[in-house]
Amino acid sequence: MSSDAHALTHDHAGEHAPPRGLMRWITTTNHKDIGTMYLVLSLIMFFVGGAMAMVIRAQLFRPDMQLVTPLFYNQMATMHGLIMVFGAVMPAFVGLANWMIPMMIGAPDMALPRLNNWSFWILPFAFTLLLITLFLPGGGPQGGWTMYVPFNLQLGYGFPFMIFAIHLMGISSVMGAINIIATILNMRAPGMTLMKMPLFVWSWLITAYLLIAVMPVLAGGVTMQLLDRYFGTHFFSVAGGGSPILWEHVFWFFGHPEVYIMILPAFGILSEIIPTFARKPIFGYHSMVYALASIAFLSFIVWGHHMFVVGMPVAADLFFMFATMLIAVPTGIKIFNWVATMWKGSLTFETPMLFAVAFIVLFTIGGFSGVMLALVPADFQYNNSYFVVAHFHYVLVTGAVFAIMGAVYYWLPKWTGHMYNEFWGKTHFWLSAISANVLYFPMHFLGLAGMPRRVPDYPVQFANLNMVASIGGFVFGLSQLIFVAVIFSCVRAGKKAEARAWEGAHGLEWTLPSPAPYHSFATPPEVA
Amino acid sequence: MVTKRRTIGGVLPILGTLTAALAFLPAPVRAASEYNLPYGVTPISHAVYRLHMLAFWMMCGIGVVVFGLIFYSIVFHRRSRHPVPAKFHENTVLEIVWTIIPFFILVVLAVPAARLLLRMENLRHPQLTVRITGYQWLWRYTYPRYGINVYSRLSNPSLASVHYGRHLSPYAVPHYLRSVTHPMVLPTGEKIRLLVTGGDVIHAWWVPDFGLQVDGNPGLINAMWIKILKPGVYRGACNQICGWGHGYMPVVVVAKPPAQFLAWVRRWRAAHHGPGAGDFTPKPL
Ligand code: HEM
Ligand SMILES: [Cu+2]
Ligand SMILES: [Cu+2]
């Protein structure tokens, strides 16, 4: 464990101060610097993807809006999905992992600091590649984030750029995952057995394995697209002995675990925040760990639920339906355990707790629509309608994104040494929570009434609810400016935060001073 | 603690909004609704509707219990009312209970779903076969038995409104984006087998009133069946992103009683294959 020794011999704040200016950020191998860069990148991408969402909602404000061309609309819808998934949610979780895992397990830094630097610095190049497709002849990707062939093979010059961007993102994710696993398995403080690890660390350990398992599958799949287009192979064309359905299987074999990659760390965050503000230990720690593990296992055998209308054999439909419904059981266990943690606690509702409680309620609503979607005959109606759009925004925005925001408010005092402004934090929460529901709830109705997703225009019977959703969307978008303002002002000034910034907080990170020192634990702490 | 009270008070509106929004979903109304699945006009669409409502009410029931508990805890276990937290952190019996009960709830849903699926996939004994091919951006309907081939694209009034620079209100266009040049015509009361494929990229043929959609994959054929119980005009759309014109390739089906359907077949043949073609013997099934 050379990095361990390295950190141990070198850490005395001041003696080995980081270089100043830009070079500090380019050459850094420090988990906090890298975590910060991940989080900043994620915030920027959240706004880039968000701006695209604003274009989408403006175009759908009323029928026959004609603000942008259908071609541009399709590019916005596709890029919005890719940017939010790969640029906003995933880097945010990796940033949180970088910041928090070494502090939570009593380590000085990540196990592989140079790999860490590299896995971050790949990303700005990946997103540059992806975004410049918008300015190339033929435009950016237009087939949805699912990139179904043969349509995806019809793209213009942007096609290979998109493929290479995805390769880069995949490499970055796999390297990040390797680093996280190496850190968790090797660098825990003495006495911290696996079953004593904080649940956030557990959730990331499992997520990292999911990443290693499925990112290469996506990379292989997009490479097959590249070969089909430029090298005369026929993986995806029936005429040459292949099948377009093969792509859908490959994509969703990656895609379904991917959605769990975006929610398991959120589960971990909830399991940190709720006990703190309930002033009560997490309920059912062991079943929480087992539930995480079984969700991760099941996530590999349910991909077909995205493909019910594709024309699979009945036996496959039935298998994927039953397996998918099974996931609701461990998911339910997590929800009940959080509620039981709140039960008879002594609750206060600071901003992180508000986000956490909203998560439980709204994520559960997304779980309800998920169970409905799993029913094959009903999915023959729901599939690809706005009902699906409502489902995945409930689990991803009011789920994953709310958890990330809660985590940022929760740990900002530790990162900056200042308390954030509670009034503005709460304002941000209430505006976001209400507008997100105004935005996404009507989409259930739109989908049931028959509105397809990924269309730039719609018949007049969908006008009212679309206008409501658009208004919700604009308010949600604007509210996020408050988030940025709160973060900036907290970084610069604010009430001094104590080491244990929240009186109910437990865990090693709260034993370090706020702001946390540049190198976390120079000597490993004792874990009882 | 004024601020604390304000926080709790604030939780009420959001739960209130949510329940109000849920209550918005109408009880089994059978008319076309802005808020719910259509009851539809095929035996399958009726069954799908019932499955959907069963699932919906079960989810509402679970929601009432779970959200009720959360809400109770928010109100009664906040620090101002419950200053000393309890210490418990496990209860094996409870944990087993909330593993088993959801499992059985899911079985209650899975059984009717599986049975309905088997019914939907029973393609035996069709009385008519129609081939559906999606293209960028129109549909082709082929009736092998009658030698009929219909191309169906977005109708001109909708196009005129869509066309840049010409502003015709979508409200002034009849069935804006849901009307076509030549609809698909089908007989009522017969078991019709649909063979769906894609001519270039993947499309999906979807008519909500029939309770299903089918992907048209280039080079592959998907089969589905429908039996339309009521004459009428049923509208849907392509439901798989297929490029620029994806939003502009609607599906319109005109369902007629069998005698009128045959009259349409004769008229169509006379118009396209010459006057004598109206009298013909259909090819065997
Ligand atoms: C109880 C748990 C869940 C169940 C049973 C479930 C079920 C489903 C099903 C059946 C679909 C396919 C719908 C269709 O295309 O017709 C779907 C779509 C989707 N789900 Fe879930 N889901 C669950 C939880 C989640 C979670 C936790 C996430 C992510 C955080 C998620 C993200 C998505 C996304 C992104 C899609 C749409 C993918 C696309 O077509 O672009 N789901 N879900
Ligand atoms: Cu899935
Ligand atoms: Cu289409």
Side-chain angles (χ1 to χ4, degrees):
Chain A
M1 218 136 314
S2 62
S3 58
D4 229 333
H6 169 88
L8 286 180
T9 45
H10 280 263
D11 178 59
H12 297 290
E15 179 219 283
H16 190 74
R20 305 208 137 255
L22 191 61
M23 279 322 273
R24 159 171 175 192
W25 298 100
I26 292 178
T27 60
T28 183
T29 53
N30 178 281
H31 74 104
K32 299 195 180 72
D33 286 352
I34 295 172
T36 303
M37 291 195 294
Y38 266 111
L39 289 169
V40 170
L41 175 82
S42 154
L43 193 60
I44 294 171
M45 286 298 143
F46 184 55
F47 276 88
V48 172
M52 294 171 176
M54 295 298 107
V55 175
I56 294 173
R57 279 324 316 172
Q59 167 78 4
L60 297 179
F61 188 73
R62 58 176 175 80
D64 206 14
M65 185 73 176
Q66 304 200 8
L67 186 71
V68 297
T69 65
L71 196 76
F72 190 71
Y73 178 89
N74 289 353
Q75 293 175 45
M76 286 295 104
T78 305
M79 291 290 255
H80 165 74
L82 289 169
I83 299 262
M84 285 304 194
V85 168
F86 293 105
V89 175
M90 292 172 68
F93 283 133
V94 182
L96 291 170
N98 254 294
W99 255 102
M100 302 317 301
I101 288 177
M103 294 206 274
M104 290 177 130
I105 63 174
D109 203 307
M110 296 291 280
L112 309 164
R114 296 211 171 114
L115 192 74
N116 208 6
N117 172 291
W118 201 23
S119 62
F120 170 78
W121 274 111
I122 286 177
L123 284 181
F125 296 94
F127 290 106
T128 310
L129 267 186
L130 186 61
L131 284 167
I132 56 178
T133 60
L134 290 175
F135 307 101
L136 295 177
Q142 296 148 28
W145 82 290
T146 49
M147 301 176 280
Y148 279 11
V149 287
F151 179 60
N152 211 47
L153 301 174
Q154 294 183 349
L155 296 181
Y157 289 84
F159 175 78
F161 286 73
M162 173 189 67
I163 304 278
F164 287 131
I166 289 173
H167 279 150
L168 290 180
M169 294 168 200
I171 293 171
S172 159
S173 292
V174 171
M175 294 197 311
I178 291 173
N179 204 351
I180 286 167
I181 293 175
T183 306
I184 296 174
L185 294 186
N186 294 310
M187 306 202 26
R188 277 169 291 132
M192 180 174 283
T193 59
L194 283 179
M195 288 316 264
K196 277 190 191 159
M197 287 194 319
L199 282 168
F200 178 70
V201 179
W202 254 116
S203 71
W204 246 116
L205 181 62
I206 292 171
T207 303
Y209 279 107
L210 288 183
L211 276 169
I212 291 181
V214 300
M215 292 311 292
V217 176
L218 177 67
V222 293
T223 309
M224 286 152 86
Q225 286 204 9
L226 201 69
L227 296 174
D228 263 19
R229 167 123 169 208
Y230 295 112
F231 298 93
T233 57
H234 294 279
F235 291 111
F236 303 127
S237 84
V238 175
S243 165
I245 307 305
L246 174 61
W247 166 257
E248 299 186 29
H249 283 291
V250 171
F251 181 83
W252 286 117
F253 184 81
F254 146 80
H256 189 81
E258 168 68 19
V259 307
Y260 281 92
I261 287 166
M262 294 190 282
I263 206 67
L264 294 187
F267 290 170
I269 290 167
L270 269 253
S271 304
E272 301 299 327
I273 293 179
I274 291 177
T276 296
F277 295 97
R279 296 170 178 77
K280 204 165 143 275
I282 187 85
F283 185 91
Y285 175 91
H286 288 85
S287 62
M288 287 302 231
V289 173
Y290 301 141
L292 280 174
S294 36
I295 291 174
F297 168 74
L298 288 171
S299 76
F300 285 108
I301 56 166
V302 298
W303 78 89
H305 66 215
H306 296 274
M307 299 171 59
F308 288 142
V309 306
V310 166
M312 287 187 299
V314 190
D317 280 350
L318 286 175
F319 172 80
F320 286 123
M321 169 166 75
F322 296 143
T324 303
M325 295 179 82
L326 220 48
I327 291 202
V329 174
T331 312
I333 293 178
K334 301 208 72 87
I335 308 254
F336 292 127
N337 282 359
W338 290 322
V339 178
T341 307
M342 288 168 65
W343 201 255
K344 294 212 154 116
S346 185
L347 304 168
T348 52
F349 296 92
E350 287 83 350
T351 311
M353 184 62 165
L354 288 174
F355 274 106
V357 174
F359 176 107
I360 307 182
V361 173
L362 300 174
F363 176 81
T364 303
I365 293 180
F368 290 159
S369 52
V371 171
M372 294 171 77
L373 287 163
L375 304 170
V376 186
D379 187 66
F380 284 163
Q381 283 278 36
Y382 308 143
N383 180 267
N384 265 350
S385 74
Y386 259 84
F387 192 76
V388 175
V389 181
H391 160 69
F392 66 71
H393 283 97
Y394 266 86
V395 285
L396 282 171
V397 176
T398 60
V401 172
F402 271 25
I404 292 167
M405 289 174 175
V408 168
Y409 284 110
Y410 184 56
W411 282 308
L412 258 181
K414 179 57 57 189
W415 301 338
T416 63
H418 302 137
M419 299 306 284
Y420 60 85
N421 183 313
E422 195 64 58
F423 171 80
W424 284 108
K426 282 181 177 156
T427 309
H428 170 229
F429 166 77
W430 283 111
L431 282 172
S432 300
I434 293 169
S435 62
N437 281 287
V438 176
L439 167 58
Y440 299 124
F441 210 86
M443 291 184 184
H444 290 110
F445 303 132
L446 283 170
L448 294 176
M451 178 162 162
R453 71 193 273 206
R454 294 166 170 166
V455 287
D457 200 357
Y458 49 83
V460 294
Q461 70 262 31
F462 304 129
N464 296 341
L465 290 175
N466 266 298
M467 193 176 283
V468 173
S470 285
I471 291 168
F474 300 142
V475 177
F476 186 81
L478 286 176
S479 314
Q480 304 320 312
L481 297 173
I482 302 177
F483 186 43
V484 180
V486 175
I487 295 175
F488 267 88
S489 65
C490 176
V491 170
R492 300 186 53 182
K495 211 175 91 218
K496 190 105 195 57
E498 293 167 24
R500 188 179 303 280
W502 310 106
E503 62 169 51
H506 297 280
L508 291 176
E509 78 263 37
W510 304 108
T511 62
L512 289 168
S514 304
Y518 197 58
H519 295 289
S520 295
F521 284 93
T523 38
E526 277 297 318
V527 179
Chain B
M1 296 241 97
V2 183
T3 44
K4 289 279 148 42
R5 186 140 317 134
R6 209 182 282 144
T7 320
I8 296 298
V11 180
L12 286 165
I14 193 175
L15 289 180
T17 324
L18 287 177
T19 24
L22 283 176
F24 238 86
L25 279 175
V29 277
R30 307 248 142 139
S33 159
E34 207 181 327
Y35 300 104
N36 203 354
L37 277 191
Y39 186 60
V41 292
T42 67
I44 294 298
S45 77
H46 298 171
V48 166
Y49 179 86
R50 281 192 293 268
L51 179 67
H52 159 72
M53 290 316 288
L54 171 70
F56 170 70
W57 287 118
M58 284 176 64
M59 295 305 128
C60 287
I62 302 171
V64 168
V65 174
V66 176
F67 301 154
L69 290 172
I70 295 174
F71 190 59
Y72 183 91
S73 184
I74 289 174
V75 174
F76 293 102
H77 302 147
R78 47 203 273 233
R79 185 161 61 181
S80 53
R81 293 212 185 174
H82 198 257
V84 184
K87 294 230 153 36
F88 66 87
H89 57 85
E90 58 192 2
N91 183 329
T92 315
V93 176
L94 256 183
E95 289 175 63
I96 290 174
V97 166
W98 64 50
T99 310
I100 305 246
I101 290 184
F103 183 82
F104 282 107
I105 294 180
L106 291 172
V107 172
V108 172
L109 276 175
V111 170
R115 292 170 60 122
L116 178 54
L117 177 65
L118 293 177
R119 208 171 127 205
M120 294 173 97
E121 302 274 347
N122 175 0
L123 286 156
R124 273 170 296 173
H125 312 307
Q127 291 157 282
L128 172 71
T129 296
V130 185
R131 280 210 319 257
I132 301 175
T133 315
Y135 296 97
Q136 290 167 315
W137 291 279
L138 66 146
W139 294 98
R140 182 171 69 159
Y141 303 110
T142 313
Y143 302 66
R145 190 154 186 231
Y146 302 120
I148 290 181
N149 203 11
V150 178
Y151 288 92
S152 182
R153 23 171 117 237
L154 188 67
S155 71
N156 287 331
S158 284
L159 261 185
S161 178
V162 167
H163 195 279
Y164 280 77
R166 284 178 54 188
H167 272 282
L168 181 61
S169 160
Y171 291 91
V173 179
H175 300 288
Y176 176 64
L177 294 185
R178 288 291 181 274
S179 60
V180 292
T181 49
H182 302 284
M184 178 187 200
V185 181
L186 291 176
T188 52
E190 289 181 15
K191 183 166 182 178
I192 305 165
R193 184 173 59 164
L194 304 174
L195 300 178
V196 187
T197 185
D200 34 44
V201 300
I202 303 175
H203 303 267
W205 191 84
W206 182 30
V207 180
D209 275 319
F210 298 166
L212 54 84
Q213 61 187 300
V214 195
D215 271 9
N217 303 305
L220 304 167
I221 294 172
N222 270 331
M224 262 297 161
W225 69 273
I226 57 174
K227 184 180 200 169
I228 307 170
L229 298 175
K230 242 174 57 189
V233 184
Y234 305 108
R235 296 168 200 276
C238 177
N239 199 24
Q240 185 62 264
I241 189 162
C242 55
W244 192 99
H246 169 55
Y248 308 101
M249 51 183 295
V251 173
V252 178
V253 176
V254 177
K256 298 171 186 270
Q260 288 175 33
F261 171 73
L262 277 181
W264 172 79
V265 168
R266 294 216 165 77
R267 274 202 312 280
W268 197 97
R269 286 180 58 92
H272 292 82
H273 301 325
D279 292 315
F280 70 105
T281 12
K283 295 208 189 90
L285 271 175

